[in-house]
Amino acid sequence: MTQENPPTGRNDRGDGSRARSTQTLGFHRYGFPSGLWRWIAAHPPPGVGRIRWRSPLRGPWLTSVFGLVLLITLPVVIVTGLLSYSAYSPQFGQAMPAHVGWFRLPDFDWPTNPSWLYRLTQGLHVGLGLILIPVVIAKLWSVIPRLFAWPPARSTAQLLERLSLLMLVGGILFEIVTGVLNIQYDYIFGFDFYTAHYWGAWVFLIGFIVHIAFKIPRMASSLKTMSLRAVARTRTVDTHPEPTDTDGLVAADPSPATISRRGALGVVGGGAVLIAALTVGQTIGGVTRQFAILLPRGRDSGSGPNDFQINRTARAAGIDPATTGSNWTLTVHGNRSAPIKLDRATLAGMPQHTARLPIACVEGWSTTQTWTGVRLRDLARMAGTPSPHRTRVTSLERVGSFNQATLQANQIHDSDALLALQVNGQDLSLDHGFPARIIIPALPGVHNTKWVTMIEFEDAL
Ligand SMILES: Nc1nc2c(c(=O)[nH]1)N[C@H]1C(S)=C(S)[C@@H](COP(=O)(O)O)O[C@H]1N2
Ligand SMILES: [Mo]
């Protein structure tokens, strides 16, 4: 590896001359116009290269510890994030952004079994994403001298590495900011959250892969330089800088330690545990929900059997209670020449089925309740379309992008897929979708349409 600091810059150490001469070779080898590069090297932007980073804790070992944690955990966040896209049934063009070319997982029908699948994947995506924020910050802090190294690169390979670093750091910060804002506020962006978060993820992922390829050997060797057990026993007074490294992480003129390495790891780990404690309530529910301060949306979700999280109230969705009364009917389209109209009493008179199923929102929260209603496959048969290829559900709600959803074949066929009339033994509240709502195992929350007014079963074209 090479020393990135200019001859006159900070961290200029004994090994600098050796490193510099290899880089001079680099110029020739990669055909860089060396005059231009020398000029760039000699003209750092204001401030860059002047700051002295003096923490005695910075060094390859500490960076590698944070790196290892992220190397193991971030793939879970990435994969569950991409799965979230698949769970929206991109084959129907309803995942956002709809057109992503090659940048998506191969098409497959999102399963309905186990019913907690999306609860798990999305809960992990959001929960782990939040919990890792202190680790990401610590990792960035530990490599900060590198981020401001000048000149930005001395060879083509280094330029690629720096570019990947930009994608990695920029990408992860963008994903954290958009993700957190999205769960705290309702789509406040001037751009579409899904589109931004999706493309941000790919920028980050490419940077991540390139970074891993560059850094894994360095990480592995750095981790061997100290044992975690020894670090856990070392007090602040005995905390000394790591040996000088060629990457320039170790401070050239370190200050005395004000916190031990174990203390620093404890702060970061404690931060992660704190966020976990403030988050899990949104999955576990019950009394723990009170502590879920990262829980999005209001906390007043009504009373009795309908007292559980509401994504959007009837009022917020502009539902006129007058349209949900005795004049409400469900229109069912299928292969029958005329659509069927069913009022609520007729639906309640049909065979009812009860299932314990979760609602799991893209925002990470979830709740499992006991739902009762008519099986969707019974309605499909009634409409003369016993094996629909796809099914479109429309809400009374006029505006908003969640007022309709397209469902896959397996999502109609599942014996627990319901048009629910009741929850926990009582009629749905208006906020939970009265007179009738969709509830399907493992379906992302957003597609469990409330205030249903029409269902269209369609055969394959
Ligand atoms: N018509 C309609 N249905 C909807 C929504 C909506 O805004 N309008 N929100 C969806 C979302 S994002 C979620 S997570 C679930 C939440 O259901 P709940 O409010 O009953 O908990 O309803 C879904 N059904
Ligand atoms: Mo949702």
Side-chain angles (χ1 to χ4, degrees):
M1 260 304 148
T2 48
Q3 171 44 278
E4 288 193 18
N5 300 305
T8 50
R10 70 210 151 69
N11 290 346
D12 199 23
R13 279 185 296 278
D15 62 339
S17 57
R18 186 183 37 128
R20 275 200 303 281
S21 64
T22 15
Q23 273 144 13
T24 316
L25 271 177
F27 284 138
H28 296 300
R29 185 156 355 115
Y30 296 107
F32 267 61
S34 45
L36 175 68
W37 278 90
R38 239 176 263 134
W39 185 86
I40 292 173
H43 295 82
V48 169
R50 302 261 159 71
I51 311 162
R52 287 179 185 278
W53 309 99
R54 297 186 58 185
S55 169
L57 298 195
R58 273 202 196 87
W61 182 85
L62 192 70
T63 292
S64 298
V65 170
F66 296 137
L68 180 64
V69 172
L70 295 174
L71 178 65
I72 294 167
T73 50
L74 280 180
V76 177
V77 181
I78 294 165
V79 170
T80 51
L82 292 173
L83 283 176
S84 190
Y85 186 85
S86 300
Y88 274 56
S89 306
Q91 65 271 34
F92 298 145
Q94 69 180 343
M96 291 165 278
H99 305 288
V100 295
W102 291 343
F103 285 88
R104 78 179 191 212
L105 299 181
D107 270 356
F108 63 95
D109 272 359
W110 185 253
T112 56
N113 193 8
S115 65
W116 41 263
L117 182 67
Y118 188 71
R119 188 178 193 208
L120 177 75
T121 59
Q122 195 60 16
L124 273 176
H125 180 67
V126 176
L128 206 51
L130 286 171
I131 290 167
L132 290 176
I133 290 175
V135 186
V136 170
I137 292 171
K139 174 75 162 61
L140 289 177
W141 173 85
S142 80
V143 296
I144 217 157
R146 298 270 298 169
L147 299 183
F148 294 102
W150 198 265
R154 287 173 185 268
S155 68
T156 311
Q158 243 187 26
L159 193 66
L160 276 179
E161 193 211 314
R162 306 282 308 179
L163 201 65
S164 74
L165 205 61
L166 194 68
M167 293 168 75
L168 178 80
V169 175
I172 199 155
L173 291 177
F174 184 79
E175 292 303 274
I176 288 175
V177 169
T178 52
V180 168
L181 286 180
N182 186 54
I183 59 176
Q184 296 302 323
Y185 307 96
D186 217 348
Y187 309 97
I188 56 163
F189 311 98
F191 46 81
D192 177 53
F193 161 74
Y194 290 93
T195 305
H197 202 67
Y198 193 80
W199 290 118
W202 281 103
V203 170
F204 162 71
L205 182 52
I206 292 165
F208 189 53
I209 291 169
V210 174
H211 189 70
I212 291 170
F214 271 106
K215 298 295 187 185
I216 266 209
R218 173 62 48 103
M219 185 191 81
S221 61
S222 302
L223 283 172
K224 287 189 200 123
T225 59
M226 276 193 272
S227 83
L228 196 59
R229 193 173 294 177
V231 169
R233 279 197 295 255
T234 307
R235 294 172 308 161
T236 306
V237 285
D238 301 320
T239 299
H240 305 294
E242 293 181 43
T244 300
D245 66 320
T246 50
D247 281 334
L249 292 178
V250 180
D253 51 350
S255 326
T258 52
I259 186 173
S260 62
R261 282 191 186 80
R262 70 176 177 193
L265 293 177
V267 167
V268 176
V273 169
L274 182 67
I275 294 182
L278 298 179
T279 308
V280 289
Q282 68 174 6
T283 303
I284 299 174
V287 283
T288 63
R289 179 148 280 161
Q290 283 167 255
F291 305 105
I293 59 162
L294 299 177
L295 180 80
R297 305 292 179 273
R299 284 144 183 267
D300 181 17
S301 44
S303 58
N306 276 280
D307 179 12
F308 58 93
Q309 177 86 333
I310 297 161
N311 170 272
R312 210 146 149 252
T313 61
R315 176 202 273 263
I319 299 296
D320 178 0
T323 60
T324 62
S326 54
N327 57 342
W328 175 85
T329 53
L330 173 74
T331 308
V332 184
H333 293 262
N335 282 345
R336 287 259 172 89
S337 47
I340 308 169
K341 296 238 178 213
L342 302 166
D343 61 18
R344 201 167 188 281
T346 311
L347 285 166
M350 289 174 63
Q352 302 290 298
H353 180 72
T354 296
R356 250 185 102 62
L357 296 174
I359 288 193
C361 184
V362 67
E363 292 159 5
W365 63 265
S366 56
T367 179
T368 303
Q369 306 294 336
T370 304
W371 308 88
T372 302
V374 179
R375 281 186 167 128
L376 290 172
R377 65 185 189 196
D378 289 351
L379 288 173
R381 207 176 301 124
M382 200 175 189
T385 315
S387 309
H389 167 66
R390 65 165 157 193
T391 300
R392 209 158 136 97
V393 177
T394 309
S395 170
L396 282 173
E397 186 184 349
R398 298 272 163 76
V399 285
S401 41
F402 304 151
N403 60 357
Q404 57 135 64
T406 305
L407 305 171
Q408 301 161 183
N410 61 331
Q411 290 164 346
I412 299 301
H413 270 286
D414 194 285
S415 64
D416 284 343
L418 302 178
L419 179 70
L421 306 177
Q422 297 196 318
V423 64
N424 303 321
Q426 210 174 70
D427 277 349
L428 293 171
S429 67
L430 192 57
D431 285 338
H432 282 303
F434 184 88
R437 77 170 301 163
I438 296 294
I439 182 84
I440 292 174
L443 187 70
V446 60
H447 291 156
N448 292 284
T449 308
K450 304 196 276 193
W451 314 293
V452 174
T453 184
M454 183 165 66
I455 302 180
E456 298 161 276
F457 296 106
E458 292 172 25
D459 274 337
L461 296 177

